Amino acid sequence: MKVSKLLLKTLRETPAEAETASHQLMLRSGMMRKLAAGIYSYLPMGLRSLHKVEQIIREEMDAAGAQELLMSALLPAEYYQESGRWDVFGPEMFRLKDRNDRDFCLGPTHEEIFTQTVKSEVSSYRQLPLTLYQIQTKYRDERRPRFGVMRSREFMMKDAYSFDCDEAGLDASYQAMYKAYCRIFDRLGLDYIVVDADSGAMGGSGSQEFMVKSDSGEAVVAYCDDCGYAANDEKAECVPEILEQEAKKEMKKIHTPNVGTIEELVSFMGTDSKHFAKTLIYVAAGKPVAVMVRGDREVNETKLANLLGINEGDLEMAEACVVTEVTNARVGFAGPVGLSIPVYCDLEVAKMCNFIVGANETDYHYENVNPDDFTPEKVADLRTITEGDVCPRCGKTIKTTRGVEVGHIFKLGTKYTKALDCTYLDENGKAQTPIMGCYGIGVNRTLAAVIEQYNDENGMIWPVSAAPYQVIVVPVNRDNEEQALLAESIYKKLQAEGIEVLLDDRAERPGVKFKDADLIGIPVRITVGKKAAEGLVEYKLRRDNAVSEISAEDAVKQACAFIRSELA
Ligand code: ATP
Ligand code: MG
């Protein structure tokens, strides 16, 4: 492709709205443009890279024995109503009506539709196991679309679904997807970790996420270098810290005027926040509940929702008026003693002694409170793990890192097959319910994660596997005939070798061309300058600084060899 003909406008300035490297660079390099919040148009360079990622996913899915098909994005409500998710999705689901007033949605994920397909196409155990997938557009009206295509409202997902006769079959299908995911992310050169994830409201017996380590990641991963434990912080188990035990003292009400936050309490009482237990009021599926964690800990809303058997979307912090109604006090003075709503207490709090809590009376706290001074509804692991915590597996120290969730694999069980009454006949002619797994990869998010990992101050540094073009040939002065001819002949030879090559034939200053080549991150640059007359060119890889002066022929050979070895 000749750059003079390419729809490509690069930006020198970083767009103010873009916070992350990938978002900034995708805009600056003209890969995409924003149309509305969380909605983007892909321009030629962006689309080429997106297709590369898609193709790698497709090849590995096919190699793992999965079969590709394609579902509509526009879906009738009935299947989601049957599974119950028409309600569960809440405002995240884009809904619409047709001219006959029938309900539809734009598919946020397709478990129901694949189940329906298997229900209609599969009748015998002989047709199982089966893994089906598609690479297709999903719609989610995210509460906070951000970071460009990392969290957008329209995005491409590879979603796969396995159907098996028994648990052992599910294990095998799941493992096949696990391995395919590793190959996909390896081919893209991503530095990722696989972590245990929450199976939450989706039910199911296990799930793992593929996390690309990145400061811009929205997920927090807890991991242990000693034993290899790794889990999403929504899921990571917390080991209670047992503080020094002392003899039980008598509970006492104390006057704490205007001391409503943990920080204020720490300075007022002159003790560590570890000696307080905070009581937070939530509204869970419409009903107020109280949750207790140690003063320096955070409530883990995923764990709380799971304990209550509700969706995380149905859980929210209570507004001030609700807090006052249930505690008879201003916000900041809630406590478990004498509270009439159910109290859910973190494991750690249940092991504390002589601690401080709110007194359910404005400007008052109780000190020397002990677990037998109140009756929790349940005691459970309800806090979020933090750096320095104890590893739940080996007892050493937990570290945390931010990560971008690029893929998710999930042992679903029979939730959807049961809900949609999908069955097959076993060897004995008896109807049985297939066991499902589901496996998603965010295609655009994966592309953005590659950019997050491969960039420098000058722009992107594409790994060959995802580069929109593999080589760029830059004549320094296209009006010089020798340069123009040599550049053109290198371009033609590379094309004949099947290499994806750009020829920057624009009438721009060399500085502009070099800047653009760096910004768009093409892996190999061949510069044709003054020594064209001697048949010499400059050969440079985007990922390192060394420039070598070699013959045009060698440059073609080296480029081909490099590209092929990178892709092998
Ligand atoms: P998240 O926790 O980031 O919202 P999720 O749990 O909702 O993700 P899944 O339903 O498991 O995601 O979807 C499968 C994959 O689709 C995710 O691993 C992610 O890579 C991608 N994905 C999900 N939501 C978005 C989005 N809004 N924009 C881009 N990619 C997304
Ligand atoms: Mg989500």
Side-chain angles (χ1 to χ4, degrees):
M1 181 79 198
K2 295 192 170 165
V3 178
S4 62
K5 302 270 187 288
L6 187 62
L7 180 68
L8 172 68
K9 186 169 101 182
T10 56
L11 312 175
R12 288 282 163 260
E13 302 300 319
T14 300
E17 87 240 38
E19 298 165 61
T20 57
S22 58
H23 190 190
Q24 291 169 356
L25 288 169
M26 288 179 85
L27 292 173
R28 282 189 55 206
S29 66
M31 289 176 72
M32 63 167 196
R33 296 287 178 240
K34 178 173 158 182
L35 202 62
I39 302 177
Y40 292 89
S41 308
Y42 276 79
L43 304 185
M45 296 291 273
L47 186 61
R48 285 182 71 94
S49 284
L50 191 69
H51 281 161
K52 293 264 170 97
V53 178
E54 263 181 50
Q55 189 52 26
I56 289 172
I57 295 172
R58 181 172 284 116
E59 284 168 17
E60 296 301 339
M61 283 294 120
D62 291 346
Q67 298 177 54
E68 184 170 6
L69 40 72
L70 181 62
M71 305 288 189
S72 172
L74 181 61
L75 301 168
E78 59 190 272
Y79 302 109
Y80 291 89
Q81 285 160 346
E82 272 179 57
S83 73
R85 287 210 289 186
W86 185 257
D87 296 324
V88 168
F89 267 107
E92 200 164 304
M93 189 184 248
F94 278 103
R95 296 157 205 264
L96 62 161
K97 285 189 189 288
D98 72 3
R99 64 173 71 206
N100 298 312
D101 213 32
R102 276 190 217 114
D103 285 315
F104 283 80
C105 70
L106 296 177
T109 173
H110 279 67
E111 280 77 6
E112 286 82 350
I113 315 303
F114 276 75
T115 304
Q116 177 58 29
T117 303
V118 167
K119 178 178 173 175
S120 83
E121 306 303 317
V122 171
S123 50
S124 157
Y125 71 95
R126 288 189 199 87
Q127 294 165 279
L128 297 178
L130 197 60
T131 298
L132 304 172
Y133 79 98
Q134 63 175 345
I135 299 175
Q136 185 260 7
T137 316
K138 298 282 184 277
Y139 295 87
R140 295 183 184 179
D141 197 356
E142 296 278 355
R143 191 198 302 255
R144 275 190 81 190
R146 59 185 191 149
F147 302 154
V149 298
M150 284 272 190
R151 183 172 298 285
S152 50
R153 299 199 292 169
E154 183 193 75
F155 59 98
M156 297 293 284
M157 198 200 286
K158 184 287 299 172
D159 46 328
Y161 306 87
S162 64
F163 296 83
D164 277 278
C165 295
D166 51 31
E167 287 292 338
L170 170 61
D171 284 347
S173 299
Y174 184 90
Q175 275 311 315
M177 285 295 116
Y178 180 100
K179 286 188 190 137
Y181 275 40
C182 292
R183 281 191 296 270
I184 290 164
F185 298 126
D186 286 342
R187 283 178 67 179
L188 290 166
L190 287 169
D191 177 16
Y192 61 93
I193 43 176
V194 188
V195 308
D196 292 344
D198 174 57
S199 320
M202 288 273 276
S205 55
S207 101
Q208 286 167 298
E209 288 164 346
F210 287 71
M211 294 280 190
V212 172
K213 288 186 193 164
S214 162
D215 291 339
S216 66
E218 290 179 280
V220 175
V221 173
Y223 64 98
C224 172
D225 278 334
D226 283 285
C227 72
Y229 175 82
N232 189 315
D233 76 340
E234 291 176 343
K235 151 107 184 177
E237 266 170 66
C238 296
V239 179
E241 184 188 10
I242 313 285
L243 300 174
E244 228 174 279
Q245 298 289 314
E246 48 181 29
K248 237 168 77 175
K249 295 182 191 157
E250 199 181 329
M251 188 169 93
K252 217 165 59 187
K253 195 190 271 185
I254 45 176
H255 189 216
T256 51
N258 292 317
V259 176
T261 67
I262 289 291
E263 294 75 46
E264 286 162 356
L265 259 176
V266 166
S267 68
F268 184 86
M269 303 291 296
T271 40
D272 198 276
S273 56
K274 286 183 177 181
H275 300 294
F276 306 105
K278 51 186 174 190
T279 306
L280 295 132
I281 312 296
Y282 278 87
V283 176
K287 294 204 183 85
V289 297
V291 186
M292 292 181 73
V293 293
R294 205 171 78 184
D296 58 335
R297 306 297 198 187
E298 296 303 325
V299 171
N300 184 317
E301 296 184 356
T302 307
K303 290 179 183 175
L304 179 60
N306 289 346
L307 181 71
L308 298 173
I310 61 168
N311 252 289
E312 230 183 296
D314 292 330
L315 185 67
E316 55 189 13
M317 292 287 295
E319 289 182 32
C321 58
V322 178
V323 174
T324 303
E325 202 175 300
V326 300
T327 66
N328 293 314
R330 261 203 341 259
V331 173
F333 299 93
V337 181
L339 202 59
S340 60
I341 56 172
V343 176
Y344 295 89
C345 178
D346 182 53
L347 282 175
E348 201 168 52
V349 174
K351 297 201 185 314
M352 287 166 69
C353 68
N354 299 331
F355 51 97
I356 299 165
V357 301
N360 298 320
E361 184 178 337
T362 301
D363 292 344
Y364 286 92
H365 280 79
Y366 284 122
E367 64 177 356
N368 300 331
V369 174
N370 284 283
D372 51 12
D373 290 323
F374 57 96
T375 315
E377 183 79 16
K378 273 182 189 158
V379 176
D381 174 11
L382 287 173
R383 71 176 175 95
T384 300
I385 203 163
T386 53
E387 179 104 18
D389 239 305
V390 172
C391 171
R393 194 191 282 165
C394 76
K396 298 268 173 51
T397 311
I398 283 290
K399 288 185 182 158
T400 58
T401 177
R402 297 198 84 81
V404 175
E405 178 199 323
V406 287
H408 192 180
I409 57 179
F410 206 120
K411 288 184 183 170
L412 267 179
T414 53
K415 175 171 173 171
Y416 295 95
T417 38
K418 275 212 179 107
L420 280 96
D421 197 21
C422 167
T423 58
Y424 66 93
L425 295 179
D426 68 11
E427 292 98 319
N428 307 315
K430 203 172 150 234
Q432 302 283 0
T433 308
I435 305 179
M436 275 177 84
C438 71
Y439 317 92
I441 292 181
V443 183
N444 325 59
R445 189 184 283 184
T446 299
L447 182 70
V450 172
I451 300 173
E452 287 293 329
Q453 273 193 1
Y454 292 97
N455 71 77
D456 63 13
E457 66 282 6
N458 297 319
M460 301 185 287
I461 309 175
W462 284 115
V464 172
S465 56
Y469 288 89
Q470 298 157 340
V471 179
I472 183 163
V473 182
V474 184
V476 170
N477 175 4
R478 65 155 200 183
D479 297 329
N480 173 299
E481 205 184 322
E482 269 162 346
Q483 288 184 25
L485 283 176
L486 186 58
E488 177 92 20
S489 94
I490 294 169
Y491 170 66
K492 289 261 162 65
K493 278 184 191 145
L494 285 168
Q495 273 184 333
E497 291 285 344
I499 301 295
E500 298 168 347
V501 52
L502 285 173
L503 175 66
D504 195 349
D505 58 340
R506 293 175 300 169
E508 290 284 0
R509 286 179 289 112
V512 171
K513 293 190 192 180
F514 294 148
K515 272 215 160 65
D516 280 346
D518 279 353
L519 177 59
I520 62 178
I522 307 301
V524 180
R525 188 178 85 198
I526 299 173
T527 308
V528 183
K530 287 208 178 83
K531 296 211 175 149
E534 302 159 47
L536 292 178
V537 299
E538 277 177 16
Y539 181 89
K540 182 182 175 301
L541 297 184
R542 174 66 179 87
R543 70 182 181 203
D544 54 47
N545 292 324
V547 180
S548 52
E549 198 174 73
I550 54 177
S551 71
E553 247 166 63
D554 284 346
V556 170
K557 272 195 213 138
Q558 261 191 44
C560 292
F562 172 76
I563 301 298
R564 284 175 193 141
S565 78
E566 288 290 301
L567 290 177

